[in-house]
Amino acid sequence: MGKIKFGILGGGGDSLIGILHRVASSMFDKYELVGGVFNVDYQENLKFAEQLDLSASRVYENLDTLIQKELALPESERMQVISILTPNFLHFPMAKSLLENGFNVICEKPMTTTFAEAEILHQTLQKAKTVFAVTYTYTGYPMIRQMKHMIKNGDLGEIQKVDAQYYQGWINPIIHDIEKRSSTWRLNPEKSGISCCIGDIGTHAFDMLEYVSGLKVESILADLNYLYSDNKMDIDGTVLLRCSNNVKGVICASQIATGEENSFVVKVYGKKAGLKWEQENPNYLYLMQDGKPLQVLKPGHEYNSDLSLDGTKLPPGHPEGIFDSMGNIYKGVAKAILKQPYNAAEFPTMIDGVRGMSFIEKAVESHTKGNVWVDIHNY
Amino acid sequence: MGKIKFGILGGGGDSLIGILHRVASSMFDKYELVGGVFNVDYQENLKFAEQLDLSASRVYENLDTLIQKELALPESERMQVISILTPNFLHFPMAKSLLENGFNVICEKPMTTTFAEAEILHQTLQKAKTVFAVTYTYTGYPMIRQMKHMIKNGDLGEIQKVDAQYYQGWINPIIHDIEKRSSTWRLNPEKSGISCCIGDIGTHAFDMLEYVSGLKVESILADLNYLYSDNKMDIDGTVLLRCSNNVKGVICASQIATGEENSFVVKVYGKKAGLKWEQENPNYLYLMQDGKPLQVLKPGHEYNSDLSLDGTKLPPGHPEGIFDSMGNIYKGVAKAILKQPYNAAEFPTMIDGVRGMSFIEKAVESHTKGNVWVDIHNY
Amino acid sequence: MGKIKFGILGGGGDSLIGILHRVASSMFDKYELVGGVFNVDYQENLKFAEQLDLSASRVYENLDTLIQKELALPESERMQVISILTPNFLHFPMAKSLLENGFNVICEKPMTTTFAEAEILHQTLQKAKTVFAVTYTYTGYPMIRQMKHMIKNGDLGEIQKVDAQYYQGWINPIIHDIEKRSSTWRLNPEKSGISCCIGDIGTHAFDMLEYVSGLKVESILADLNYLYSDNKMDIDGTVLLRCSNNVKGVICASQIATGEENSFVVKVYGKKAGLKWEQENPNYLYLMQDGKPLQVLKPGHEYNSDLSLDGTKLPPGHPEGIFDSMGNIYKGVAKAILKQPYNAAEFPTMIDGVRGMSFIEKAVESHTKGNVWVDIHNY
Amino acid sequence: MGKIKFGILGGGGDSLIGILHRVASSMFDKYELVGGVFNVDYQENLKFAEQLDLSASRVYENLDTLIQKELALPESERMQVISILTPNFLHFPMAKSLLENGFNVICEKPMTTTFAEAEILHQTLQKAKTVFAVTYTYTGYPMIRQMKHMIKNGDLGEIQKVDAQYYQGWINPIIHDIEKRSSTWRLNPEKSGISCCIGDIGTHAFDMLEYVSGLKVESILADLNYLYSDNKMDIDGTVLLRCSNNVKGVICASQIATGEENSFVVKVYGKKAGLKWEQENPNYLYLMQDGKPLQVLKPGHEYNSDLSLDGTKLPPGHPEGIFDSMGNIYKGVAKAILKQPYNAAEFPTMIDGVRGMSFIEKAVESHTKGNVWVDIHNY
């Protein structure tokens, strides 16, 4: 009863990933953030926690202290789940400690920096028997869930081809500058593991294809691209796939696809039909059938599966961005209340409300009088 | 320092508008919901508050009690702003009381049910001098803010035409059924005021055109549509506009545009260029210039104005839906932690993490060995 | 047996409308252009005819001569149909003469410059009993024909709303320049009749709504826009419609919608479903039904009506532009044959053919050898 | 002076490829079809020629006769260029004969059935020194020409990645039926050469990437897909590319991408920008630049290169389909003139013209009278 007690490691300050996890955890009124270790610098840590109105007593210097102190609390007060949002190389040791101490864990991807670590973590979980989630975020989209459902349901018939493209262009200004490419942590194997492009986005494509299709990728042939001989990390690559049921496929990934933002496209073709989804327009799922009109499925409609509908909060036609749009209005109001500087365009005021009422009444009046011109009140 | 103490009137249970305001208020870590009156039934009210982990002491039987008790609290603990999410006819009396008692107010639209009420409220605010916002939600979109900025900045030159279409089809199954149309509160003037379509969505179009263009609509000519003689409320209509600076325009609104979901399209044309925006794909702003390539602006880019960037939390290419996608994963994890039934597809598990690490390592191995086939670990 | 003998009035030189009618008439191998009056200057006329390899004996000085000489020919050689592509004010007298002399006529729009002329022409046709077509070109699109078919077939149920938008921005650089706007024939009532925007494009929207819906527009209320007091012709306007069966609708037309090219959008909503079509992407017809996935119909599929399929020459997925693409290749080859200067990029040469064969054979070789790298022949 | 004398081999009856070449050759008034060998059956051949109003004297029994008789004609009457539209295995011997006898040749793709034949043909052309074109049709699109121009012009900077996808689903109903797949000529190596998917569409992708990028593909690694062990021809495949300048790339081709029509997508990324084009919407060329708004280039605008503009006949906003739309109207008129059965919806009649004139006059009247309702004439 009430909300799940929730802690976070990392994600302090303006960290995007921190914002993402805080907002996401608040979305269904299921989690209450009670503390964590947001920053390696303890003072920053405390300062950030104060902004969030968290009790300083639950803001810890490091993970060890957190574990020790939380375990000392009565179970009803103790953090039930902890999200790991720290740099990649810390995922493994932190997750391992948390599991060994009986915590549920939500871990950002990549889960570890090597497969060997991943195997150890898996063994640890076998003993811990807690809940462990890796945040391949895109699998939570309502239309991806619908895609998975339809494939499982046999709507495509036997799968005969899988294809994922994940194209970005962000590394372009870095990779062509010898200074920048030698100093970016993303291209430093010591900090980022053995792969940049495949490790960061190819792995999303891999997980997604397995998620939606229910197939397992069994073997692969990869051609990676480093562009410069002094660059040690792939920044582009194509991977041929052989999956269970003799299905072939391909993953195309790139961080040098200049001007692409986050073009992640997933296609699965079966004997009876095909399905296509694009991350940049995530509310559209395209169903292609031989000789029939293309169908475009959207979230929130009754024709979707329970799995998809469970992940939709809004009625059809309202993209999720409306939360953010309303969030921006709340942000503007907050500034006004706190007497901080703000732009008058940040939220609609009573004048907008008054003029709106005038518009409605005058529209009815114009119509009733026989479609004549009438004046809006001057406010 | 800390968050703004925040109360809500209405929005209890599964209310969409309640979810929208709670999520929105949490988005920038600026508000802390401390209580309110979520439901007219006090027991429901308490039950709902418990789900949100709110203290029962801040859950009130009605607005009068809320005002009285909150005013009795020290100012540092008192609710600083209260959102009104109740049925339309309650907006006016509640907003008036709150203003008269010095509270900041966030009020859902329509602000009142008549223009007369709106004028009174406006006078009340003149005395109260608090912050008052009406949630014309769409004005918070980053690309709408950018549209406003560009027009103000003169990028379009002098405005010469404004056009808004707001087409929905949801009333279709109601309007053609004599039983349903006589029993829906939306079509009952006593509960919904004098207009259905213009009042509900036409007014969004009106506010938006004024918001983005900076023009004032001065007079209108309306042709409304009732379809049936026993139907007392417009469910479709076209409104001709004459705005300041002699600009003409048109608002087309409909709730019988069968199959349309929430097709709100805003177009402003100036001497130098035109801008177009569509609510169903809110991340695209189209800049049209004579003899130049169409430009498509998207949120989060440096080329946007501060006003727009202040409302963007995500890097380019990540639609806001990603919060919801991550939110869905958190929801699934919550079910698992609470040992509620859940679908295995609700969140990625450690197996996904392990396979992902195998994929990365094997991709590099395949490439390094000369683009040969290698097997993924069997997990 | 054989082709229809075909003559043209106007359309000489680089005239776009001339090209359009010549290409269109050749598309189904049904017409043979035998002569006409292409230009008021007889020498230009002859020169142009020579380019088209037409016999000089069928190139006439004016319409009167044409009629006289053609009537003197045996019926089997005589022009059977004549297209009128001259400036608007000549449509009426030319069409009248041709009808009175028993010719079939294809006439560009607007058919006349006044309604009075149109009535006279109509009376003339009653006597002539020949074939007379007005080229509202857009009604020939396969998906418009399908739209008409589906509405007639009852797929939408009873129509409850019609809406057409026709937005262009081309007059923008003219209308804001006092010199240009006073000297353009388009804005000169003596040359162009009483209306610019409504007459040129509003009338397309009007015809289209009647064509697809089968309704008749019975009365209208128009608000036109002239922008400048010295401008005598509307260049923008909104027209409210009342149609048969008490259906309401709206036509929005503009030539000052800056940056719009030829944005003609047609929407018809019925009790059961809605249909939407956009001229700039004419191969997509959108079927919207309450609570069902959006359907996108495309040309050439069996699910289309005979009327639509009769107008489709290409298999699904091949936009009509492919004729033009191939036409461009033929144009380049013609230049090469005629030893005119041309760009090497204008047509693929044998080297492309040779490399293509190498690619195919090498792809099979790479696969057969176990997915290994092989070299393409060096051509 | 006059048109190029033009002959065709194959393409008789309802052959799509015949229609395509006839329409294309007529588009710029440069070619006059004078004869050919349209069908192996001489009677069919003559019958078809009669439909086209061709002289029977230029319709030949076979290619040898054609060559002999045409060479006997005075050069001014002789066919100057001959298009080969016959089944693939005839391309080589026909092209070879024609070249050896001094004719210019336009040859459908694939140019031959083996690389060895292609080499011989190339040698033949070295001696013949005539014009020889292979119709990789898609290279004629205005926006493909613009893409090539911009890349050559350096707008993308140095190329760093090329990618082409060509997905169709048409073979789906054939490949899964053992009867059909063993009897289709497309899957019979004796009739179609060694490859189905790569040979038919992969080769388009290959040619296109070389055409637009100016790069040469130097080596490839292919993974083809046959689906069934008794199927001898690839029907899907991915080809990794290594191009000149060390550029990597990929071609994904499929005929089992269920429900895809003709989804040919071409992407080229350079250091400075990227360009994307999709065959199904060929009028849009997407220019992507880091940190700048997406630009969408369209045909006919002054900002395009001469090469592109030379291939555009229509003003911006008018897709090429308008030729077909007008062609359909002409087709309907032909039926009416020939007193063949036709649907009244096939062309607009004078009534449409009369009503259109009423609409224009009444719109102006409504406006002039102060925006009041007026009636359309009843026709």
Side-chain angles (χ1 to χ4, degrees), chain B residues 39-56:
Chain B
N39 204 296
V40 284
D41 176 326
Y42 187 48
Q43 292 313 312
E44 287 296 320
N45 199 354
L46 282 171
K47 207 169 110 189
F48 181 70
E50 191 179 355
Q51 283 172 31
L52 302 185
D53 267 351
L54 298 177
S55 159

Side-chain angles (χ1 to χ4, degrees), chain D residues 51-92:
Chain D
Q51 282 171 32
L52 302 184
D53 268 351
L54 298 176
S55 159
S57 66
R58 303 289 280 273
V59 182
Y60 302 101
E61 289 202 50
N62 54 48
L63 178 59
D64 288 344
T65 320
L66 180 149
I67 290 174
Q68 182 192 337
K69 298 252 176 100
E70 287 290 324
L71 289 178
L73 292 173
E75 204 172 338
S76 65
E77 291 179 31
R78 195 184 299 161
M79 288 176 189
Q80 291 168 272
V81 59
I82 292 168
S83 288
I84 304 175
L85 315 183
T86 52
N88 296 352
F89 71 96
L90 291 173
H91 292 181
F92 172 66

Side-chain angles (χ1 to χ4, degrees), chain A residues 316-343:
Chain A
H318 295 76
E320 288 80 0
I322 204 170
F323 285 108
D324 301 68
S325 187
M326 183 68 95
N328 287 338
I329 289 173
Y330 265 83
K331 188 183 187 185
V333 172
K335 293 180 189 171
I337 291 173
L338 299 173
K339 302 199 188 304
Q340 296 170 351
Y342 69 98
N343 187 320

Side-chain angles (χ1 to χ4, degrees), chain B residues 14-29:
Chain B
D14 289 339
S15 154
L16 168 67
I17 204 78
I19 295 170
L20 177 55
H21 281 258
R22 287 199 304 282
V23 172
S25 64
S26 77
M27 281 213 158
F28 291 92
D29 304 311

Side-chain angles (χ1 to χ4, degrees), chain A residues 39-309:
Chain A
N39 203 296
V40 285
D41 177 325
Y42 187 50
Q43 291 312 313
E44 288 295 321
N45 200 354
L46 281 171
K47 208 170 109 188
F48 181 70
E50 191 180 354
Q51 282 172 31
L52 302 185
D53 267 351
L54 298 177
S55 160
S57 67
R58 303 290 280 275
V59 182
Y60 302 101
E61 290 201 51
N62 55 46
L63 179 58
D64 289 344
T65 319
L66 180 148
I67 289 173
Q68 182 193 335
K69 297 252 177 101
E70 286 289 326
L71 288 178
L73 291 173
E75 204 173 340
S76 65
E77 291 178 31
R78 194 184 300 160
M79 288 176 189
Q80 292 169 269
V81 61
I82 291 167
S83 287
I84 304 175
L85 316 182
T86 53
N88 297 352
F89 72 96
L90 290 172
H91 293 182
F92 172 65
M94 286 180 157
K96 192 156 172 291
S97 278
L98 288 169
L99 289 180
E100 288 169 348
N101 285 284
F103 289 94
N104 298 303
V105 174
I106 293 170
C107 183
E108 257 302 318
K109 64 152 279 284
M111 189 173 76
T112 58
T113 54
T114 67
F115 177 71
E117 288 176 352
E119 283 202 298
I120 295 170
L121 210 56
H122 184 247
Q123 290 156 11
T124 311
L125 182 64
Q126 303 308 306
K127 294 180 207 145
K129 295 188 197 305
T130 62
V131 175
F132 190 98
V134 185
T135 46
Y136 286 109
T137 318
Y138 305 125
T139 60
Y141 274 114
M143 298 325 286
I144 282 295
R145 291 180 165 199
Q146 178 62 12
M147 192 172 181
K148 181 183 180 68
H149 168 82
M150 290 173 73
I151 292 172
K152 193 173 178 181
N153 196 43
D155 294 4
L156 302 201
E158 207 177 311
I159 303 305
Q160 59 193 16
K161 170 90 177 183
V162 297
D163 176 308
Q165 171 199 284
Y166 204 141
Y167 277 6
Q168 302 178 326
W170 68 269
I171 217 165
N172 218 35
I174 295 168
I175 198 70
H176 297 304
D177 182 321
I178 192 164
E179 283 303 315
K180 288 186 188 164
R181 74 175 174 255
S182 62
S183 60
T184 305
W185 69 268
R186 289 278 208 172
L187 295 176
N188 182 341
E190 288 177 26
K191 293 190 186 152
S192 297
I194 59 173
S195 167
C196 178
C197 176
I198 297 299
D200 188 26
I201 58 178
T203 187
H204 267 302
F206 171 84
D207 184 71
M208 183 59 91
L209 284 180
E210 293 200 340
Y211 180 81
V212 294
S213 73
L215 298 171
K216 292 293 169 195
V217 176
E218 292 177 343
S219 57
I220 62 176
L221 183 159
D223 187 35
L224 308 183
N225 206 337
Y226 297 77
L227 274 197
Y228 294 97
S229 57
D230 63 302
N231 170 37
K232 296 195 185 65
M233 303 278 273
D234 57 285
I235 39 71
D236 171 279
T238 305
V239 185
L240 307 179
L241 309 177
R242 291 190 179 159
C243 308
S244 46
N245 294 349
N246 295 315
V247 175
K248 293 192 173 186
V250 63
I251 289 174
C252 299
S254 188
Q255 292 165 330
I256 55 165
T258 314
E260 296 280 11
E261 299 185 347
N262 201 36
S263 179
F264 182 20
V265 183
V266 183
K267 290 174 274 191
V268 177
Y269 301 100
K271 276 190 180 183
K272 287 162 52 181
L275 281 169
K276 184 170 358 185
W277 177 85
E278 301 176 357
Q279 190 275 148
E280 296 195 7
N281 293 292
N283 287 331
Y284 300 85
L285 178 62
Y286 302 93
L287 173 63
M288 300 170 287
Q289 298 165 283
D290 284 328
K292 291 191 187 165
L294 172 70
Q295 291 194 23
V296 187
L297 290 84
K298 301 183 191 172
H301 285 285
E302 296 286 312
Y303 55 67
N304 286 302
S305 63
D306 289 346
L307 178 62
S308 174
L309 288 169

